[in-house]
Amino acid sequence: MRIDIFRTDQARHTDGSFHPGWRRMSLTGLFAAITALIIPGRVLSQDTDDLAKQLANPVADLISVPLQFNYDRYDGHTDRYLLNIQPVIPFDLGDDLNLITRTIIPVVSLDGPGINQNGVGDIVQSFFLSPKVPTAGGWIWGAGPVFLYPTGGDGVSADTFAAGPTAVALRQRGPWTYGGLANHLRSLDDNPGTKINSTFLNPFLSYTTPTGTSYALQTEATYDWEVKEWSVPIGVVVTQVFTIGSQPVSIGGGVRYWAASPGNGPEGWGARFNFTFLFPK
């Protein structure tokens, strides 16, 4: 079975949707309220440019809760709305190492002729063991396992458990951050309906100003080894770190162009909007 419509950065999933409108906005607001209750606010103790640089580092020692909204167009007549809730939580493992957990909880909507599906998709969770101090050459890195849990409902789940390795490496020099994140997911059970065997490549480049504005260029390419096809969106995003009361947040948005995609996948231009809660130590 080929899975084409829904992706949580690595896995391709069956057509599914979360209907646009009040239900999606209510979920975002509800999650924001729950987050505010669970994690107490802190007074901003770092410059906005420092927080923006930490946010550009996937293995920074910083708790963050990004809400990432994506819009794409399929086959010229079907709209896909995807909300990724992506908490990032670091754990101190002593003097030398941190464990960084990055979780993607997708809520997907597909709305088109004869299609109106919605629901929570499969959760993808990555674990990075990362040294607290960069290498002598200034490289920051982390590595560990990544898992896909078949938590989604009917029509929006791969219905299979998958796992594999993941790694990230980057350098931060002055206002520049550049590097890449990669992983590979492969099915670990005998489910005959879905075979996951995909590689995810995420090179990125960003520039951060002294006022906490970041300009980022990245791709989020996936190669599906089962069907031998690439999905390659190239995106540009601008974000700004600021405070709401004493709560530091980041807000931003941008566009992306699908340079390559499966036959019934996204095409042309899409859009992304980010709202991130930051909890510096």
Side-chain angles (χ1 to χ4, degrees):
M1 176 180 177
R2 177 172 166 176
I3 311 171
D4 283 313
I5 293 298
F6 174 49
R7 184 184 317 282
T8 56
D9 279 354
Q10 301 88 356
R12 308 171 85 172
H13 294 261
T14 314
D15 293 1
S17 70
F18 187 83
H19 191 70
W22 288 105
R23 290 178 61 193
R24 182 172 57 255
M25 295 305 296
S26 297
L27 177 63
T28 305
L30 177 62
F31 183 79
I34 292 173
T35 301
L37 291 173
I38 293 176
I39 307 178
R42 296 175 174 87
V43 176
L44 182 60
S45 59
Q46 296 160 282
D47 294 335
T48 55
D49 64 329
D50 183 47
L51 280 175
K53 289 176 185 177
Q54 288 191 65
L55 196 58
N57 174 5
V59 288
D61 189 10
L62 172 71
I63 297 174
S64 64
V65 185
L67 305 177
Q68 181 196 91
F69 176 75
N70 300 274
Y71 168 78
D72 292 297
R73 187 82 164 167
Y74 284 72
D75 298 328
H77 53 71
T78 300
D79 296 313
R80 187 193 70 166
Y81 304 87
L82 173 63
L83 171 66
N84 283 326
I85 304 168
Q86 303 180 103
V88 180
I89 303 175
F91 296 91
D92 190 332
L93 298 184
D95 295 336
D96 300 323
L97 286 175
N98 285 325
L99 173 65
I100 312 296
T101 64
R102 299 179 62 88
T103 306
I104 301 174
I105 306 168
V107 183
V108 64
S109 167
L110 203 66
D111 190 22
I115 301 174
N116 184 13
Q117 294 180 317
N118 61 80
V120 177
D122 295 338
I123 294 174
V124 174
Q125 190 169 45
S126 302
F127 298 85
F128 295 93
L129 284 172
S130 178
K132 292 183 176 180
V133 179
T135 67
W139 285 94
I140 301 167
W141 65 277
V146 58
F147 301 96
L148 182 143
Y149 310 119
T151 54
D154 292 341
V156 292
S157 174
D159 196 28
T160 187
F161 180 78
T166 185
V168 61
L170 67 139
R171 292 185 74 182
Q172 294 188 307
R173 305 186 66 179
W176 293 97
T177 298
Y178 55 91
L181 184 151
N183 67 43
H184 184 83
L185 279 169
R186 190 179 183 93
S187 300
L188 297 182
D189 57 31
D190 297 324
N191 187 327
T194 299
K195 295 279 288 185
I196 295 177
N197 185 14
S198 62
T199 299
F200 174 69
L201 302 173
N202 175 211
F204 50 83
L205 171 69
S206 69
Y207 179 89
T208 302
T209 72
T211 58
T213 304
S214 293
Y215 304 89
L217 171 67
Q218 67 173 4
T219 66
E220 297 174 335
T222 302
Y223 185 71
D224 189 325
W225 295 89
E226 293 295 317
V227 296
K228 305 295 190 297
E229 287 186 319
W230 281 98
S231 294
V232 185
I234 301 172
V236 177
V237 176
V238 180
T239 58
Q240 175 66 54
V241 172
F242 62 100
T243 62
I244 299 177
S246 62
Q247 176 63 59
V249 299
S250 173
I251 190 170
V255 296
R256 58 183 172 185
Y257 177 75
W258 288 89
S261 68
N264 64 341
E267 59 187 20
W269 293 90
R272 172 170 291 179
F273 173 79
N274 296 311
F275 187 90
T276 304
F277 295 92
L278 306 173
F279 302 95
K281 295 183 176 180

